[in-house]
Amino acid sequence: MSMKRVIIANPNAGSGKVKRNWDTLSREIQGSLGVAEGRFTAKPGDATRMVKEALLQGFEQVVVVGGDGTVNEAINGWFDEDGAAYNTDASMVIYPHGTGGDFARSIGIGGDNLPSLFLGASEKLIDVGVGSGVDHHGNAFRRYFLNISSFGSSGVISNKVNQMTRFGKILGGKAAYAFGTIRGLATYRNKRIRLRIDDNYEEELVVSIVAVANGRYFGGSMKVAPTAYVDDGFFDVVVVGDINLGYFIKNNAKLYRGEHLDLPGFSMVRG
């Protein structure tokens, strides 16, 4: 009996690449994974709702087509209010096709050979993070993440990238995020925080970014957490201290290669 499979795709991902290339993408996915029903998102939040609906409808595999934003929405449809999976037998397939592809990069998926990668793929259990807080309107929130949850200038940078025109994003994820990083750091003022990690770390310090990393990459292929593994039961908490735009530009290449943790201003604590 064939697996009951659904494709949930963001047609606007990658500045509309998914919509433009849908016929090819659909053939590739079904050729490597098997017959699947296709569903398109139409607005923010749709992927979360559609994943939940698919799991409750008995789908055994959910193929997510889009960028990191679509992947994040999808994992937030996987669990109920108590944190239990709607379908413990179901699996998720990430088919990256967006501006960013950092989680896919963290688990070794990418390039032009995606269909062949999935032909011999097997399922694997990985960790999922969950964060809670209060939004700008004073409302409590709880969100899951597969890759990295961060705070500080990274939030401003993400907003800058999302506000970019289609022309800006069409340059590719790395270029879009590099440009967004420069724009964000040029105006951001680092913040004093108190950071506690388990019972072995508590400090008051000034930071630019704190990245709670399950995966290794964020910001359009920046290897911010080079020793993180998605299945080890730990987060690599990377602290980017009181640095400025000039320091970032000076060490930009090392950041993308994951060679920054020994530099002044950077540290990592596992928790």
Side-chain angles (χ1 to χ4, degrees):
M1 181 181 293
S2 62
M3 180 178 290
K4 191 176 180 183
R5 181 180 293 106
V6 63
I7 305 170
I8 294 177
N10 176 5
N12 297 316
S15 299
K17 283 197 306 183
V18 171
K19 184 177 181 179
R20 293 194 302 273
N21 301 328
W22 178 245
D23 290 343
T24 300
L25 283 170
S26 180
R27 285 195 302 270
E28 287 180 354
I29 293 168
Q30 298 195 64
S32 57
L33 292 172
V35 175
E37 177 184 327
R39 301 178 181 179
F40 282 125
T41 63
K43 60 183 184 300
D46 275 359
T48 297
R49 173 183 57 79
M50 293 166 73
V51 166
K52 175 181 176 180
E53 290 173 353
L55 295 173
L56 292 175
Q57 290 165 1
F59 282 93
E60 302 162 274
Q61 192 173 80
V62 179
V63 184
V64 180
V65 181
D68 289 308
T70 310
V71 172
N72 181 256
E73 281 199 12
I75 196 60
N76 276 279
W78 207 265
F79 304 99
D80 64 20
E81 293 180 356
D82 296 321
Y86 286 111
N87 183 347
T88 56
D89 296 322
S91 62
M92 182 185 291
V93 176
I94 309 300
Y95 208 89
H97 213 72
T99 303
D102 289 313
F103 178 68
R105 191 175 288 108
S106 290
I107 59 175
I109 296 174
D112 298 326
N113 61 337
L114 276 176
S116 59
L117 276 178
F118 289 114
L119 282 172
S122 57
E123 293 180 0
K124 182 177 183 177
L125 286 171
I126 67 168
D127 302 324
V128 178
V130 60
S132 58
V134 177
D135 66 19
H136 293 295
H137 304 290
N139 301 314
F141 69 85
R142 174 184 171 96
R143 287 192 66 84
Y144 295 92
F145 62 97
L146 286 174
N147 192 38
I148 293 175
S149 181
S150 66
F151 61 85
S153 61
S154 55
V156 178
I157 291 165
S158 293
N159 284 338
K160 296 293 186 184
V161 174
N162 289 332
Q163 290 166 8
M164 288 176 70
T165 63
R166 178 176 172 179
F167 175 75
K169 285 192 174 185
I170 212 165
L171 295 174
K174 185 173 182 179
Y177 276 98
F179 186 57
T181 298
I182 291 171
R183 291 182 64 203
L185 289 179
T187 58
Y188 187 77
R189 297 294 175 262
N190 296 335
K191 303 295 190 292
R192 179 170 295 277
I193 66 163
R194 181 176 296 279
L195 179 66
R196 186 172 69 240
I197 303 169
D198 299 336
D199 295 323
N200 58 7
Y201 180 96
E202 184 168 0
E203 297 285 346
E204 186 174 311
L205 64 169
V206 177
V207 301
S208 175
I209 299 173
V210 174
V212 181
N214 190 36
R216 295 186 175 192
Y217 295 88
F218 82 161
S221 78
M222 187 183 296
K223 199 174 185 180
V224 68
T227 60
Y229 290 92
V230 296
D231 61 349
D232 64 355
F234 291 92
F235 290 127
D236 282 18
V237 183
V238 178
V239 179
V240 182
D242 192 14
I243 71 167
N244 56 27
L245 176 58
Y247 191 76
F248 171 82
I249 292 174
K250 177 183 176 182
N251 295 289
N252 180 59
K254 289 186 176 181
L255 278 159
Y256 279 93
R257 293 196 301 264
E259 299 172 357
H260 55 287
L261 292 182
D262 293 329
L263 294 173
F266 294 88
S267 61
M268 189 276 286
V269 181
R270 187 165 285 127

